[in-house]
Amino acid sequence: MSSPDPQVRAARNLTDPSPENKPEKKRSKNRGPVVAVTGAATGIGELLTAHLVASDEIKQVIAIDERRGQASEATWHILDVRDPAIAEKLRGADVVVHLALDLDLETDPAARTAYNVRGTQTVLTAAAAVGVHRVVLCTSAMVYGALPDNDIPLAEDAELRATAEATGVGDLLEIERLGRRAPRAHPGLNVTVVRPTVLVGGTDTALTRYFESPRLLVVAGSRPTWQFCHVDDLVSALEYAALERIDGEFAVGCDGWLEQEEVEELSGVRRMELPSAVALGAAARLHRIGLTPSPAGDLAYTMHPWVVSVSRLHDVGWRPKWTNEEVLGALLEEVEGRHTLAGRRLGRKDATAAGAAGATVALLGTAALVRRARKARRRI
């Protein structure tokens, strides 16, 4: 999947006089849109910015973040996306791709929501004020909700039935609501919404941490299904949106999905099956007393199907470069050596002890509550 290091390619060009290896002339980038990227110095924003500055189809990239990133060819502006001064920085842009979101599991939820919602509001208002004609928002296929009666796969125009009970999903639903309202409040502004499935590639989410556990928790009677999206494919889909090859709301991810049994066979990690009441109750208690960052609502996305069609991208000629099997393999390599229990990262000693004890959400939750009850009784 990786290409040769740029320095290696440059050395080859200097030492190999053959015509096909002669240095290319500087590209002319007089045509194409001017694209602004928020959150351009980190994560997906950094990858997209690097991708766009290398594209012959993009005239200019305006990069916005709270620190300067690596893409020297971009025009950088250093500021918080909640600052109304961002309007002047967006002037001249045709399209804005808004990727300045905080979905960190460890961030205080109230602070995270304040940043995500206010930042999106400010970017949409500022873009409209300076004549930007399209804003691209990136949320998640989690907004469809994970429910036992979901179609497999869901249509991209299916009703959004998620609730705010899972990490960050309430923020994503509000961002989508702002995106729907913006064209009505600002005629001439178009909003495109991109919804990736389980995102893999330098990401840290409740769903990627699921694969860091010594056993894969499976709730009895549930039907987990897995559809992944590699960050490379998300960047490619965001480029399609920036070039306005696709608009409206669409999902991005691998074709098809994996059943839980396939995931276990491919990963070689065995399951730990628990009754629903035990798993959900223990997860809720652990989160409530601050032992884990993941609320019980995150478990729904490992219990019920929420795979989605990616037909809208297919219709405009886009194809994923990665398969679900390949992305799962990449994820397992990425998390190797990490140890997580109920969404909480463990040190090596803790992980060994937890694994020997049968490391499950329910057992940890029950043990914690029993210890607290015993201490309370001793005080009486």
Side-chain angles (χ1 to χ4, degrees):
M1 290 290 177
S2 60
S3 57
D5 185 277
Q7 293 181 340
V8 174
R9 290 199 301 268
R12 289 174 182 170
N13 287 338
L14 291 173
T15 57
D16 187 346
S18 58
E20 63 271 22
N21 284 320
K22 287 183 179 178
E24 295 180 4
K25 294 182 180 179
K26 186 175 180 63
R27 295 186 302 249
S28 174
K29 302 182 77 166
N30 295 325
R31 292 184 292 179
V34 175
V35 179
V37 180
T38 69
T42 56
I44 301 300
E46 181 179 27
L47 296 174
L48 179 65
T49 300
H51 187 78
L52 295 180
V53 296
S55 173
D56 292 329
E57 299 182 83
I58 304 296
K59 182 177 181 180
Q60 180 190 359
V61 178
I62 300 171
I64 297 173
D65 210 322
E66 294 178 52
R67 66 174 179 82
R68 187 181 181 88
Q70 297 294 319
S72 59
E73 302 92 335
T75 300
W76 283 92
H77 297 295
I78 313 303
L79 81 165
D80 189 310
V81 291
R82 295 169 292 181
D83 188 339
I86 196 173
E88 281 305 310
K89 312 306 180 186
L90 296 178
R91 191 175 296 279
D94 300 299
V95 179
V96 176
V97 183
H98 178 47
L99 297 173
L101 297 178
D102 180 2
L103 296 175
D104 193 317
L105 289 171
E106 311 299 338
T107 301
D108 173 73
R112 181 175 60 217
T113 295
Y115 178 82
N116 290 336
V117 174
R118 179 63 183 275
T120 303
Q121 287 175 324
T122 303
V123 167
L124 287 167
T125 302
V130 297
V132 173
H133 69 261
R134 184 171 303 280
V135 173
V136 180
L137 303 176
C138 186
T139 61
S140 168
M142 293 177 78
V143 296
Y144 291 104
L147 299 158
D149 63 345
N150 274 346
D151 291 336
I152 303 177
L154 289 161
E156 288 165 287
D157 60 357
E159 179 185 357
L160 306 187
R161 298 200 291 163
T163 65
E165 295 173 355
T167 304
V169 174
D171 294 2
L172 300 179
L173 289 168
E174 180 61 16
I175 287 168
E176 293 223 3
R177 188 183 70 83
L178 293 170
R180 288 191 296 274
R181 290 179 53 189
R184 298 196 295 269
H186 308 288
L189 179 67
N190 300 289
V191 176
T192 296
V193 178
V194 184
R195 298 168 179 156
T197 55
V198 180
L199 195 58
V200 174
T203 58
D204 178 25
T205 68
L207 294 169
T208 59
R209 287 191 183 188
Y210 176 83
F211 292 91
E212 298 177 15
S213 299
R215 297 283 186 90
L216 299 180
L217 174 63
V218 176
V219 176
S222 66
R223 185 189 173 185
T225 53
W226 295 90
Q227 181 184 25
F228 299 101
C229 177
H230 195 275
V231 291
D232 291 349
D233 285 334
L234 176 57
V235 166
S236 172
L238 289 169
E239 181 186 28
Y240 264 62
L243 291 170
E244 300 186 87
R245 294 174 179 167
I246 186 170
D247 58 12
E249 302 163 350
F250 64 91
V252 54
C254 300
D255 292 333
W257 61 90
L258 297 175
E259 301 285 353
Q260 182 70 20
E261 292 76 13
E262 294 176 286
V263 166
E264 292 168 17
E265 183 179 353
L266 290 166
S267 67
V269 181
R270 291 181 295 171
R271 69 168 60 193
M272 176 66 74
E273 191 163 311
L274 297 172
S276 175
V278 173
L280 292 169
R285 290 191 294 270
L286 285 168
H287 182 65
R288 188 167 57 249
I289 62 179
L291 289 181
T292 66
S294 297
D298 287 345
L299 268 182
Y301 290 88
T302 70
M303 294 171 59
H304 307 305
W306 55 290
V307 300
V308 62
S309 165
V310 293
S311 60
R312 293 209 59 224
L313 273 169
H314 277 235
D315 290 345
V316 296
W318 180 92
R319 295 291 184 274
K321 293 182 179 179
W322 292 72
T323 66
N324 282 303
E325 292 84 354
E326 290 169 340
V327 181
L328 175 59
L331 173 56
L332 294 171
E333 287 183 11
E334 195 171 290
V335 304
E336 187 175 2
R338 299 178 191 168
H339 306 285
T340 293
L341 191 58
R344 181 173 69 91
R345 286 264 167 79
L346 302 175
R348 182 170 294 178
K349 290 183 179 179
D350 291 336
T352 301
T360 70
V361 175
L363 292 180
L364 264 185
T366 302
L369 292 170
V370 167
R371 284 194 298 271
R372 291 172 65 192
R374 285 175 178 169
K375 288 179 181 177
R377 283 197 298 271
R378 290 191 192 110
R379 297 192 194 104
I380 296 174

